[in-house]
């Protein structure tokens, strides 16, 4: 029996992968078991394929390792692209029921705000699985509420994903399919799986609580007439909705006849005022997932109770059902990771922009100096557990630090500067390395004379006769400490250049070489349920003039202060320690 093209390609990829992981020698057994893992449909005929699989493995084992790597890169670029993540040992677990080449996932944001790190979690997991199984990722804007959605937000979400390096294979809008979704809604009413309800909200609220069906549900004679009226514009907003025919006494309240369509008058960013009858998320999501060919629909745990409804809708319409997978919402202590909570802060002016460094939006992370690779690693390290515990923000910082540390110049910045006069110090051109180990980052020359600035914190801890080391320069001995009108100043004399363990080693800026710099330090937005009025600390100081040449976006490490990203206008934003 001859092997089919897709199977033989898969065998080649698996063999190349196995070879690259094992010094160029793949093992046929391992390739066969991996093949069966992703193509269980081949179990019955595997015996007949074994000779060809062995032949493929043998031919690959004859290639030099470098050729194996480049061929793997050509045949399955995502495999090699995933490398950096594998190196750290963090990987997502296999996806239940996934078949190689046939996985379709989707990320369905509502364009009602800017994307945040919670979206990054969902989108990255969706993408990682699509790539892991050589499948497809769909970006689907879930835009079925014209009152909340704006073109600006579609763009912001695209930009955010772009920055993250999430590359959807297909981009679409739920609103593209609005007619189709309406047709399914009508069909569900015709099939007696839903009904048009004209009860007031209060009536329904009461009946729901009591677990009793309303008149509209009990008397089906009017159902189709009402359906026509709903779609031909005879009802006003709030006068009629389509409800799922669930069970008003169900213990799962999500099944107590939830709304599937409602009338919304508004300007939709893509469809204008053409459409009045809009599906709810509960209806649009299963229909779209099914029609889009989604095999694995992932969403956050808070939708758990609505899974029954999701599947009941597909059941009644006899549509294909995806596998549903849930993971926990990403939240950090004191930071609301939700558009619903962020937007009010923007609307009431508490926070001016979506990229304010205190926010967990992607644009804010970018502005703070976080790199997308760190966010991806962090998200993958969280995995798809349902754990409710909030991960420590420091975990994300650690991933970021590891990536930016080797790339960032080490420079001097002093906060709350205090003048230091070193008597009889010579004028010097001091050459400073930009990075302790990476010479490719070059060096800089600073003109030093007898006047310096050191940071207020360091100065406050000094006493007469203390010896300190000015980093990369020389030692000085403090001879006088003055405080005039609340302003501290120090005088010192040179004290050799031998570095002693016991000396405090502090950074400095030469008085003739300064660049005024303000650093914004974001803190927790909330303390408990209260907005933290001290959530943005503004630190003033001076940096070396070398910093003046940096463009916004440059990330640096200020020695003994922390990593910062230059933001422009003599301002930097604190990334982390
Ligand atoms: P928000 O409260 O921010 O509006 P949402 O769930 O309504 O949250 P959507 O735009 O509808 O936001 O979400 C798109 C996808 O992103 C959904 O699958 C949702 O589960 C996921 N998602 C949203 N917030 C988080 C989060 N904090 N952690 C993990 N996933 C999230
Ligand atoms: Mg939403």
């Amino acid at each position: 029996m001859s092997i089919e093209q897709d199977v033989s390609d898969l065998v080649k990829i698996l063999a190349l992968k196995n070879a690259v992981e094992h010094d160029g020698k793949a093992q046929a057994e391992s390739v066969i078991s991996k093949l069966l893992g992703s193509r269980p449909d081949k179990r019955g005929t595997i015996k007949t394929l074994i000779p060809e699989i062995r032949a493929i493995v043998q031919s690959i084992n004859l290639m030099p390792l470098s050729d194996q790597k480049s061929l793997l890169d050509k045949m399955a670029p995502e495999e090699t692209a995933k490398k950096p993540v594998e190196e750290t040992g963090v990987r997502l677990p296999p996806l239940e029921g996934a078949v190689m080449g046939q996985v379709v996932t989707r990320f369905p944001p509502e364009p009602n705000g800017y994307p945040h790190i919670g979206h990054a979690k969902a989108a990255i997991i969706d993408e990682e699985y699509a790539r892991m199984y050589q499948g497809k990722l769909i970006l689907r804007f879930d835009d079925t509420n014209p009152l909340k959605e704006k073109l600006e937000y579609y763009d912001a979400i695209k930009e955010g994903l772009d920055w993250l390096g999430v590359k959807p294979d297909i981009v679409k809008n739920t609103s593209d399919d609005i007619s189709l979704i309406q047709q399914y809604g009508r069909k569900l009413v015709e099939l007696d799986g839903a009904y048009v309800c004209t009860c007031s909200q209060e009536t329904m609220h009461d009946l729901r609580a009591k677990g009793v069906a309303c008149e509209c549900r009990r008397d089906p004679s009017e159902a189709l007439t009402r359906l026509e009226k709903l779609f031909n514009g005879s009802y006003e907003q709030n006068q009629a909705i389509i409800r799922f025919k669930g069970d008003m006494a169900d213990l799962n309240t999500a099944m107590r006849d939830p709304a599937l369509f409602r009338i919304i008058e508004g300007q939709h960013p893509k469809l204008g005022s053409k459409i009045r009858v809009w599906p709810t998320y509960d209806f649009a999501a299963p229909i779209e997932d099914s029609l889009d060919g989604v095999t694995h629909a992932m969403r956050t745990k808070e939708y758990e109770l609505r899974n029954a409804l999701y599947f009941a809708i597909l059941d009644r319409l006899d549509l294909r059902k995806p596998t549903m997978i849930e993971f926990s919402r990403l939240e950090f202590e004191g930071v609301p990771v939700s558009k619903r909570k962020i937007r009010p802060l923007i609307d009431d002016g508490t926070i001016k922009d979506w990229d304010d460094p205190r926010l967990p939006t992607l644009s804010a992370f970018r502005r703070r100096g976080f790199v997308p690779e760190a966010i991806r690693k962090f998200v993958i390290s969280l995995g798809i557990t349902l754990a409710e515990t909030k991960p420590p923000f420091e975990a994300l910082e650690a991933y970021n630090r590891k990536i930016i540390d080797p790339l960032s110049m080490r420079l001097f910045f002093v906060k709350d500067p205090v003048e230091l006069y070193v008597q009889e110090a010579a004028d010097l051109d001091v050459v400073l390395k930009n990075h302790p180990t990476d010479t490719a980052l070059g060096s800089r020359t600073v003109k030093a004379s007898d006047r310096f600035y050191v940071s207020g914190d360091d100065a406050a801890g000094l006493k007469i006769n203390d010896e300190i080391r000015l980093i990369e320069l020389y030692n000085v001995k403090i001879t006088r400490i003055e405080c005039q009108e609340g302003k501290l100043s120090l005088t010192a004399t040179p004290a050799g250049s031998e570095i002693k363990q016991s000396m405090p080693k502090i950074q400095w800026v030469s008085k003739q070489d300064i660049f005024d710099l303000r650093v914004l330090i974001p803190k927790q937005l909330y303390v408990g349920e209260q907005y933290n009025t001290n959530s943005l600390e503004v630190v003033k100081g001076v940096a070396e003039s070398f910093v003046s040449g940096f463009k916004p976006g440059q990330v640096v490490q200020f020695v003994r202060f922390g990593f910062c990203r230059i933001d422009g206008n003599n301002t930097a934003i604190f990334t982390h320690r």
Side-chain angles (χ1 to χ4, degrees), residues 114-320:
Y114 277 62
H116 51 59
I117 186 124
H119 292 116
K121 175 175 177 182
I124 287 169
I125 290 176
D126 286 322
E127 184 186 50
E128 286 286 325
Y129 276 127
R131 300 291 164 258
M132 189 183 285
Y133 292 96
Q134 300 171 24
K136 282 199 177 69
L137 168 68
I138 302 171
L139 164 60
R140 186 177 76 221
F141 288 102
D142 206 359
D143 54 349
T144 59
N145 186 346
L147 299 179
K148 289 196 188 155
E149 294 138 15
K150 282 193 203 160
L151 278 183
E152 177 192 354
Y153 302 141
Y154 292 75
D155 292 341
I157 292 168
K158 276 207 194 109
E159 227 173 87
L161 293 179
D162 223 38
W163 176 70
L164 275 180
V166 169
K167 297 189 187 70
D169 299 288
I170 296 166
V171 180
K172 61 169 293 192
N173 309 309
T174 299
S175 65
D176 299 343
D177 297 331
I178 191 69
S179 310
L180 200 56
I181 298 170
Q182 287 184 342
Q183 278 170 37
Y184 276 106
R186 284 169 178 264
K187 191 170 161 197
L188 195 58
V189 175
E190 286 157 13
L191 290 170
D192 200 28
Y195 58 98
V196 179
C197 175
T198 55
C199 296
S200 70
Q201 279 184 10
E202 299 82 70
T203 309
M204 276 318 283
H205 187 81
D206 284 353
L207 294 176
R208 266 234 172 82
K210 290 189 193 126
V212 175
C214 71
E215 198 52 40
C216 310
R217 171 170 174 162
R218 274 183 286 147
D219 175 13
S221 62
E222 291 285 298
L224 296 182
T225 332
R226 285 179 169 182
L227 186 61
E228 272 330 295
K229 282 173 72 182
L230 179 69
F231 281 98
N232 73 18
S234 306
Y235 291 118
E236 302 290 317
Q237 205 162 278
N238 294 326
Q239 278 186 342
I241 66 173
I242 296 182
R243 285 187 188 287
F244 183 74
K245 213 169 216 180
D247 176 355
M248 286 299 277
D250 202 313
L251 287 178
N252 177 356
T253 51
M255 292 303 282
R256 295 188 184 178
D257 293 16
L260 302 184
F261 282 86
R262 68 277 197 228
I263 299 169
I264 302 175
E265 305 278 6
Q267 280 290 322
H268 186 273
K270 300 276 176 186
L271 300 179
S273 52
K274 209 166 73 189
I275 301 291
R276 291 175 79 240
V277 183
W278 288 97
T280 58
Y281 168 83
D282 282 331
F283 190 71
I287 302 291
E288 284 287 278
D289 286 350
S290 188
L291 299 181
D292 286 343
V294 173
T295 58
H296 294 76
M298 289 174 244
R299 60 183 181 183
T300 41
K301 195 170 173 265
E302 82 255 33
Y303 293 105
E304 201 173 31
L305 289 177
R306 287 147 85 176
N307 287 350
L309 176 61
Y310 180 101
F311 290 117
I313 290 170
L314 295 177
D315 249 340
R316 283 188 200 175
L317 288 168
D318 207 14
L319 290 172
R320 187 192 57 87

Side-chain angles (χ1 to χ4, degrees), residues 521-567:
I521 307 182
K523 300 275 170 70
Q524 279 187 16
L525 251 187
Y526 283 89
V527 175
E529 292 298 302
Q530 286 281 309
Y531 169 71
N532 175 11
T533 47
N534 298 317
S535 51
L536 192 65
E537 186 184 343
V538 182
V539 161
K540 289 195 176 130
V542 291
E544 306 171 41
S545 70
F546 193 63
V547 172
S548 68
F550 291 151
K551 293 201 178 63
Q554 176 86 34
V555 174
V556 301
Q557 185 185 8
F558 287 128
V559 174
R560 297 178 66 238
F561 184 80
F563 291 91
C564 290
R565 182 182 182 274
I566 304 299
D567 197 53

